[in-house]
Amino acid sequence: DLNEEDIVVDRRAVMEEEADQVRRSKLETLEEGAVVHGTVRSIAPYGAFVDIGGADDLLHVGDISWARVTDPATELAVGDELDLKVLKADKQSGRISLGLKQMTADPWEDAVTKLNPGDRVTGEVTRLMDFGAFVTVMPGVEGLIHISEMSWTRRVQRASDVLKLGEHVEAVVLKVDAAATRLSLGLKQVLGNPWDTVKDRFPTGKVIEGKVTRLAKFGAFVEVEEGVDGLVHISEFTSEKRIQNPAEFVKVGQVVRAVIVSSDPETKRLKLSMKQLEATPTDQFVQDVAVGDQITGRVVRVRGNEVRVQLGEGIEGVCVLLEPGSPAATGALSGSLAEQLAAAWKGGAKSSATGAGSEPYVEGQVRSFTIKTIDNAAKRIELTPA
């Protein structure tokens, strides 16, 4: 006699055999691409099992939605009835793979036609990795903002230093790779490159105040604005003594004054000088004189029509002579001669066409000059013959 346990085992074996026959029969009629109707029977972390008629087949988590799905339970529930596409029907193994997202158009096809390099898009940060942030810009379409595209001025180590999960951001489309379904985005391009306008905002000669951000063997980096550092080379700290190490003169965090020496947007380099703000003999000299004053000085060099004049210890002026024969030169000489004649007529002195103003300049001479201009920034004093 058969006991009850044997009857149950036999019944189970019969049911499994019947299910297997139904499944194989189903496989004979199924082709890849066919649409089937099914009911969700169970959910697992890697997908859902769907009964499409006699057996449960796998709907993988990656085939539930075009958007990224991390937990199938957020998208499906047991008992849901679905229309699915057959992705694979393996008659030998009896396995059937199903797809739900394939029942709708691939959003990448729409993205390729709508998105172009240079376009501005907005989206939500859906994933953060050390190397970048993924942003959903269209349903089912994620773009990557690499850490190198997050800032013009700072070196970003991790994406989380700049962006937060769930944050909505604006970005610029850099590249659309339809074949690889990859979208490259840029965050820094939205703000514009501050180096493009650095020459206008920090012209040569401008004095700035900034904090020392770091020291190197060759100098100190000073923040002239947020994210933009300029370099004070070790030779530009002071003219009073020779500096061997920047730490002898400045420290990190110290606020210093410096003058812009040069700026190069292409190499992103800003050169600064602190010693050019130190008071020089020329600075002290110009405090005691004014344009129009007559002074004396020793001629130290004559090159063409340019005469360099020593006005004091470490102080030089430049006198640019008018070219002989030019109307301006003739006028200057005539005026000088007229003044001499007038002075001679009034004072009874002998008239002479070879006054001090018309004599050639010779190195070593002490001559009189008139201050024409004083350029404090360039520390330049221009002279004219007295």
Side-chain angles (χ1 to χ4, degrees):
D1 293 336
L2 295 176
N3 58 36
E4 187 175 343
E5 185 177 343
D6 292 334
I7 294 173
V8 172
V9 172
D10 289 346
R11 178 60 178 164
R12 184 181 300 160
V14 170
M15 292 177 64
E16 290 177 355
E17 179 64 27
E18 289 177 351
D20 186 59
Q21 289 179 359
V22 170
R23 185 183 193 82
R24 293 189 177 278
S25 175
K26 193 83 173 179
L27 274 170
E28 293 299 325
T29 61
L30 281 180
E31 296 292 339
E32 292 182 8
V35 175
V36 295
H37 187 79
T39 304
V40 177
R41 294 301 186 192
S42 63
I43 297 176
Y46 51 86
F49 288 94
V50 182
D51 180 4
I52 60 171
D56 294 346
D57 296 295
L58 179 63
L59 169 60
H60 191 268
V61 63
D63 292 310
I64 293 175
S65 172
W66 291 110
R68 182 173 292 273
V69 177
T70 55
D71 182 4
T74 61
E75 305 292 322
L76 301 172
V78 173
D80 286 350
E81 295 193 4
L82 308 171
D83 287 325
L84 305 160
K85 184 166 288 189
V86 176
L87 304 181
K88 186 176 182 181
D90 190 333
K91 294 179 172 57
Q92 289 185 348
S93 65
R95 293 178 180 176
I96 299 173
S97 298
L98 304 171
L100 178 60
K101 70 180 184 182
Q102 288 79 3
M103 295 298 294
T104 59
D106 186 347
W108 272 99
E109 296 176 1
D110 192 31
V112 168
T113 60
K114 289 183 177 179
L115 299 178
N116 298 289
D119 289 351
R120 290 198 175 200
V121 294
T122 56
E124 180 182 344
V125 178
T126 49
R127 286 188 292 154
L128 286 175
M129 311 295 285
D130 283 347
F131 58 83
F134 289 92
V135 178
T136 298
V137 297
M138 296 172 61
V141 177
E142 278 187 336
L144 172 65
I145 304 177
H146 192 267
I147 54 174
S148 63
E149 301 297 341
M150 290 186 176
S151 175
W152 291 109
T153 55
R154 56 183 285 207
R155 188 180 181 88
V156 179
Q157 300 294 332
R158 294 177 298 274
S160 57
D161 293 339
V162 179
L163 298 173
K164 297 178 180 179
L165 198 64
E167 181 180 357
H168 283 78
V169 298
E170 184 177 12
V172 172
V173 175
L174 303 181
K175 183 179 180 182
V176 182
D177 189 338
T181 61
R182 289 178 182 173
L183 179 64
S184 299
L185 304 175
L187 185 64
K188 66 186 183 183
Q189 288 77 4
V190 174
L191 304 176
N193 188 352
W195 286 99
D196 290 343
T197 58
V198 72
K199 281 185 175 290
D200 297 328
R201 293 180 294 110
F202 298 105
T204 299
K206 181 176 180 177
V207 178
I208 60 94
E209 279 193 0
K211 186 182 294 184
V212 177
T213 56
R214 61 190 177 97
L215 301 179
K217 291 182 179 179
F218 50 84
F221 290 91
V222 178
E223 185 180 54
V224 298
E225 70 175 17
E226 186 177 0
V228 176
D229 285 355
L231 172 66
V232 181
H233 191 266
I234 196 168
S235 63
E236 294 295 329
F237 284 130
T238 180
S239 55
E240 294 180 356
K241 62 177 182 177
R242 186 179 180 87
I243 303 296
Q244 299 296 330
N245 189 319
E248 299 175 25
F249 201 77
V250 295
K251 60 183 179 180
V252 173
Q254 180 180 345
V255 176
V256 299
R257 294 177 75 246
V259 64
I260 305 295
V261 175
S262 66
S263 56
D264 189 342
E266 291 186 5
T267 59
K268 298 181 181 179
R269 290 180 180 174
L270 199 61
K271 293 183 180 180
L272 309 175
S273 173
M274 293 173 65
K275 75 177 184 183
Q276 290 187 24
L277 295 179
E278 294 178 340
T280 64
T282 302
D283 293 326
Q284 297 169 358
F285 177 80
V286 299
Q287 290 179 0
D288 300 325
V289 296
V291 173
D293 286 356
Q294 286 195 355
I295 56 175
T296 58
R298 184 180 300 277
V299 176
V300 293
R301 192 179 73 182
V302 180
R303 293 290 186 272
N305 67 332
E306 181 181 280
V307 179
R308 287 202 167 267
V309 183
Q310 184 181 19
L311 304 175
E313 187 67 33
I315 307 166
E316 278 195 0
V318 178
C319 179
V320 179
L321 303 175
L322 296 173
E323 294 291 342
S326 68
T330 304
L333 292 173
S334 298
S336 176
L337 179 59
E339 289 174 4
Q340 293 171 34
L341 291 173
W345 180 76
K346 289 180 181 180
K350 287 185 178 181
S351 65
S352 173
T354 58
S358 59
E359 292 178 1
Y361 289 85
V362 179
E363 294 179 5
Q365 281 184 334
V366 175
R367 300 285 289 264
S368 295
F369 300 89
T370 299
I371 297 178
K372 179 182 178 183
T373 62
I374 298 173
D375 188 338
N376 289 315
K379 303 186 188 301
R380 178 181 172 89
I381 302 171
E382 291 190 11
L383 310 170
T384 57

